[in-house]
Amino acid sequence: MPDARISELPIASALSDTDLTPVVQTANGASVTRRATIAQLRSAVSTGQTAHVRDYGAVGDGATDDAPAIQAAINDLQNRGGGTLGFGPRSYRIASPIVVSGTMVRLQGAGFTEGPGAGQGTWLSIDGTGFTPFTFTGVAARGSAVRDIAVQQTHAAALNASWAPTNYPFVFRVEDCLGGIDFDNVFLVRVNRGIYCRNSGRLDIRRLRGQVFTTGVEIDECLDVPRIHNLHFWTFWTSDTNVVRWQQANGDALVFRRCDGVFVDQAFVLGYRSMFRFSASAAGNTTKFYIGQAYADFVKYGVWIQANGTDGQISGLTTQGEIFNAGGTPIAGSAGILVDASNTRLQVGNLRVDDAEDNAIRLNGSGNRLDIFSLRCVYYNTRNNGAAAIHLADSGASPPNAVHLGAPPLLEHGNGGPLVNAGTNATLAMQAPAGRAARPGLAVGGGDTGFHQPAAGALAASAGGVEVLRATGAGTVTLGAAPGGHAFEVVTPSAGANRVQVAGGASGSPVAVLAQGGDAHVGLVLGPRGNGALMAQLPDGAATGGHARGANAVDWQQVRATPTQVASGAQSFIGSGMNNTAAQNNAAVVAGVANQAGGIRAFVGAGQNNQATGTDSVVSGGNGNQASGLWGWVPGGSAASTRGQFGRGAWASGSFAAQGDAQAGEHVLRAQTSGTAPARLTADGAAPGGGNTANLPNGGTYLVRLMVLARQTGGSAGTVGDSAGWELGVLVRRGAGASATALLGGGTAIAPTLADAAAAGWRLSVSADTANGGLAIAGTGEANKALSWVARLLSVEAVG
């Protein structure tokens, strides 16, 4: 159709690079019509301005590795002095690294539709680990950008309780650019790690959103104000409980290491361990950061500071610490602000903390200062364990921690938890103008020094900015610091006039704490809180005060040679004396010198150098005695030992050369039979061993008076109550080992000394036990008769 009008030509279908079109050009002042291909037109239009990835072979089918084509385009732009690299609305698979280093390149996408995976718009799909998909490096790359692009990764693990993301490295890595790289309108959905920037100031991130599992953005060595605006991390891919709870245990939305003046504004994250994490690197820590408006939902720590010396400001922050899909249950250990560092400085304008398991704010370390103008805590102390809204660690000898509140905080649903924890050297100061109430009472001076009104119906006094006294209309007076951090509190009873009187004493006289009042009889209570111990001295880690006491222990001892001589076991007790130790749970020493209750529930009454080391063992008194076995007991005397045997008693009045070498003793043994098989009698009724039979030490001799009783308790033959008894004496000795044990007396098949007629056939056996080195006592009954056997052994013992 050579003469056809343009309007008469058929409508063109999709254009290819080889299609022809007329072009009117000017040559020597005249217009000339020439032919050109579509590829020629595109090249001419883009020369010096832009390039498109499909011009370099990118397919965008989601299957072909388009990384080499994209790299070729970047390399070409480098030769042309940089520019914009366009991406069409397709899915480009990235299976090898892409590096922007020698020029400025802007990766320009066609936008995207938010969703769980590749849809409309420009998508980058990554399914391989072991490489960084995009790296911007070198000063020549400054001014590069990533815009209007979505990124997805493949995470194939089953969505169950053991789910974890595939361990991909960061998608974008900005390194050693010494200047700004921009990210604008980027969508990171189902991505393990998002953007990493190091040694490249002026990083600018705007409109970043998605679901990132491990780290959203991490910045280090950025010394020239990096910026993050309009951040939104949400469950775009999946709100599966297993995935979000993994994020709550492992994921950090924003990590800052060595940064100067980082700006963050309009930020929201859902389902992370931390929203803002301030850590250190070899280059240092973050200073002078600024956070505008931020909201952390289902996040364990809204702000988590781990690096010493971190400082910055927050304009407004709301943080909520619930476990995802758990009906409001808070994450274990959750806190709106957690400081695990020292010498940090943080200023907050408006702070709301919801759903903290214990403390809404927690400052560990030392020398930290937190200033909050307006504070609201909702649902803290959820375990109802007395946790405070603000926990301030005791810094010991280091500079104390401090919190300054610009106004009285709003504490809601705290289960009665206080504002600040007790037992700390830290301070909390609250600035409230004096006299601004309907009935201000006495108002002299201000919140720093003088009298002022910290709350309605209350009067306080401060010195040097630290509150030292507060009185309330309810009749409570606190001294030493603001309530919750004070050292002394006086509470007026609601009715009656019983009271405590504290009286000083003249020289040579004691001071007194007395119960007084209108009642004839008034009790006096010294009540520790929770698991606290009751003691006569303050633990100081030295002999003067000793180590810390056990939970709910009572320790009235005031003299010790070493710091370990205290009631250190839970619920243990020392009544008085000196150098005594109660080292196990529920152990007790009443008095005496250098006694040790070293077994669980062990007891030493008095005396000196006594040891009750067996569980439930007892030494009533005396000198140098030891009850070392389960249920062992020593009534008194000197130098007796139960030799670690169960239920054994021992007593002596001294020794020849060693403890227990000249003593008397007692055992009670038992067994049950139901037929004609013989049964060994032991202290606990179990199989014979080293601790539950009458065993001798090496080189020992016992003269034993033995009494054995057998009584029928059941069976199909005989009569319940039939009984038999034996009385006999034996001499047993042991040489250098258990096998060298010999017996004089005893024997096998010993008939009863006394017996009912129906019990005359029962027999006793007494022999040497060469396996355990002692006395073997066994009873033999009759068929179809259940018998209980009990033996008492009274012994005199010599060793050596």
Side-chain angles (χ1 to χ4, degrees), residues 108 154 208 234 240 344 365-366 397-398 411 417 471 520 524 760:
Q108 179 63 59
T154 300
L208 175 66
W234 186 68
D240 181 86
T344 67
S366 63
S398 299
L411 305 180
L524 184 66

Side-chain angles (χ1 to χ4, degrees), residues 611-645:
Q611 296 181 347
T613 58
T615 298
D616 296 316
S617 61
V618 173
V619 177
S620 297
N623 184 0
N625 298 304
Q626 183 177 34
S628 57
L630 180 66
W631 315 312
W633 53 279
V634 177
S638 174
S641 173
T642 62
R643 309 194 201 284
Q645 294 174 307

Side-chain angles (χ1 to χ4, degrees), residues 308-532:
N308 295 338
T310 299
D311 73 84
Q313 297 173 305
I314 300 175
S315 176
L317 171 64
T318 296
T319 174
Q320 178 173 301
E322 293 182 19
I323 300 174
F324 188 71
N325 280 347
T329 302
I331 305 169
S334 56
I337 295 178
L338 173 64
V339 177
D340 282 329
S342 296
N343 303 317
T344 67
R345 299 290 182 267
L346 179 60
Q347 297 169 289
V348 184
N350 298 284
L351 174 64
R352 173 172 175 165
V353 180
D354 286 17
D355 302 293
E357 182 184 57
D358 289 333
N359 314 115
I361 299 170
R362 189 174 185 91
L363 268 63
N364 298 320
S366 63
N368 298 297
R369 174 163 172 166
L370 173 60
D371 292 81
I372 305 175
F373 176 78
S374 178
L375 172 64
R376 181 182 181 188
C377 302
V378 185
Y379 292 109
Y380 69 96
N381 185 31
T382 58
R383 295 191 295 175
N384 199 17
N385 60 355
I390 302 174
H391 181 90
L392 300 171
D394 191 312
S395 64
S398 299
N401 296 303
V403 170
H404 293 256
L405 300 179
L410 178 58
L411 305 180
E412 300 179 282
H413 309 293
N415 293 319
L419 175 61
V420 182
N421 59 298
T424 177
N425 66 345
T427 59
L428 182 139
M430 189 184 307
Q431 180 66 40
R436 293 191 181 180
R439 292 181 295 173
L442 180 63
V444 181
D448 290 332
T449 300
F451 289 104
H452 60 101
Q453 185 176 35
L459 176 67
S462 294
V466 178
E467 183 175 315
V468 295
L469 177 147
R470 181 179 294 194
T472 69
T476 299
V477 177
T478 60
L479 298 175
H486 57 281
F488 187 77
E489 182 173 328
V490 177
V491 179
T492 301
S494 58
N498 293 334
R499 60 193 181 277
V500 176
Q501 183 183 91
V502 180
S507 178
S509 301
V511 297
V513 178
L514 305 173
Q516 300 290 335
D519 295 342
H521 306 283
V522 182
L524 184 66
V525 176
L526 300 175
R529 182 184 175 112
N531 292 330

Side-chain angles (χ1 to χ4, degrees), residues 244-334:
V244 181
R245 290 190 182 178
W246 190 95
Q247 294 177 200
Q248 289 184 300
N250 303 279
D252 301 307
L254 301 171
V255 179
F256 304 103
R257 299 190 184 277
R258 174 67 173 98
C259 300
D260 277 353
V262 59
F263 288 180
V264 183
D265 199 12
Q266 300 289 331
F268 171 82
V269 303
L270 182 147
Y272 286 89
R273 174 174 59 185
S274 70
M275 181 176 189
F276 301 103
R277 180 179 176 184
F278 294 92
S279 298
S281 71
N285 58 276
T286 294
T287 58
K288 294 171 285 187
F289 69 83
Y290 177 82
I291 297 171
Q293 301 176 61
Y295 180 15
D297 200 5
F298 295 101
V299 171
K300 185 174 183 179
Y301 310 128
V303 176
W304 184 14
I305 299 178
Q306 297 174 291
N308 295 338
T310 299
D311 73 84
Q313 297 173 305
I314 300 175
S315 176
L317 171 64
T318 296
T319 174
Q320 178 173 301
E322 293 182 19
I323 300 174
F324 188 71
N325 280 347
T329 302
I331 305 169
S334 56

Side-chain angles (χ1 to χ4, degrees), residues 784-796:
N784 301 318
K785 291 184 179 182
L787 306 182
S788 292
W789 299 74
V790 180
R792 180 187 186 192
L793 287 76
L794 299 176
S795 59
V796 289

